[in-house]
């Protein structure tokens, strides 16, 4: 399940793309348009800046803007910043230790197929598709 943080991150990214006029957009403006607490958005944009998906400037004329063009972002990379793993089961998480039951797990093929569907879906969607 995608958390509120992940859904709000997508909304922030969409808002910045839709309102891009070449200058930084204050977080308070995004918060007002999206009807999301500015305080909560501060934690989300901090993560997005840390992942280099956004650039931010503080002070007068400051705010946030996309680091790249909307078509250069996948929904998967945005969600990974806030959600961590998108794996449906722990054994399919990137970097997970090999499960000792993998060779005879009757459910692993189903989980693998489902996991691949989710990964492919979110990797096929671009930020530009949402605006």
């Amino acid at each position: 399940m995608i958390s509120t943080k992940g859904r709000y991150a997508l909304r922030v990214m969409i808002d910045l793309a839709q309102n891009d006029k070449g200058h930084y957009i204050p977080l308070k403006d995004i918060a007002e348009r999206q009807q999301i607490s500015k305080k909560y958005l501060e934690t989300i944009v901090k993560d997005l800046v840390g992942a280099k998906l956004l650039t931010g400037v503080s002070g007068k004329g400051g705010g946030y803007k996309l680091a790249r063009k909307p078509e250069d972002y996948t929904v998967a990379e945005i969600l990974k910043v806030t959600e961590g793993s998108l794996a449906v089961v722990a054994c399919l998480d990137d970097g997970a230790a090999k499960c000792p039951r993998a060779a005879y797990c009757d459910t692993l093929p189903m989980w693998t197929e489902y996991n691949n569907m989710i990964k492919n879906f979110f990797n096929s969607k671009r930020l530009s598709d949402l605006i």
Side-chain angles (χ1 to χ4, degrees):
M1 181 166 77
I2 306 299
S3 71
T4 302
K5 193 173 183 182
R7 294 191 321 269
Y8 287 1
L10 285 170
R11 287 171 56 185
V12 167
M13 298 292 285
I14 291 166
D15 188 284
L16 288 168
Q18 289 174 328
N19 294 286
D20 182 12
K21 309 252 187 306
H23 56 78
Y24 288 91
I25 299 172
L27 192 59
K28 70 175 182 59
D29 294 353
I30 300 167
E32 286 173 15
R33 281 192 296 269
Q34 296 301 316
Q35 299 178 330
I36 302 171
S37 156
K38 181 178 175 258
K39 191 83 170 157
Y40 191 42
L41 286 185
E42 287 171 353
T43 63
I44 294 170
V45 297
K46 180 181 177 195
D47 292 342
L48 295 171
V49 169
K52 297 185 179 7
L53 300 184
L54 298 180
T55 58
V57 173
S58 56
K60 186 175 169 83
Y64 298 91
K65 65 180 178 177
L66 299 178
R68 307 187 307 255
K69 295 176 184 173
E71 59 270 17
D72 294 337
Y73 294 93
T74 65
V75 169
E77 77 176 308
I78 297 167
L79 289 176
K80 275 190 165 189
V81 170
T82 56
E83 302 300 316
S85 173
L86 296 176
V88 296
V89 289
C91 63
L92 294 175
D93 194 7
D94 293 335
K98 183 161 172 62
C99 177
R101 295 185 38 85
Y104 55 90
C105 178
D106 293 329
T107 61
L108 184 58
M110 175 191 65
W111 293 128
T112 301
E113 182 180 359
Y114 181 50
N115 197 63
N116 288 337
M117 285 171 38
I118 290 171
K119 278 176 134 177
N120 292 337
F121 178 79
F122 286 134
N123 278 311
S124 74
K125 300 294 179 195
R126 303 253 166 217
L127 181 61
S128 56
D129 296 330
L130 304 176
I131 55 175

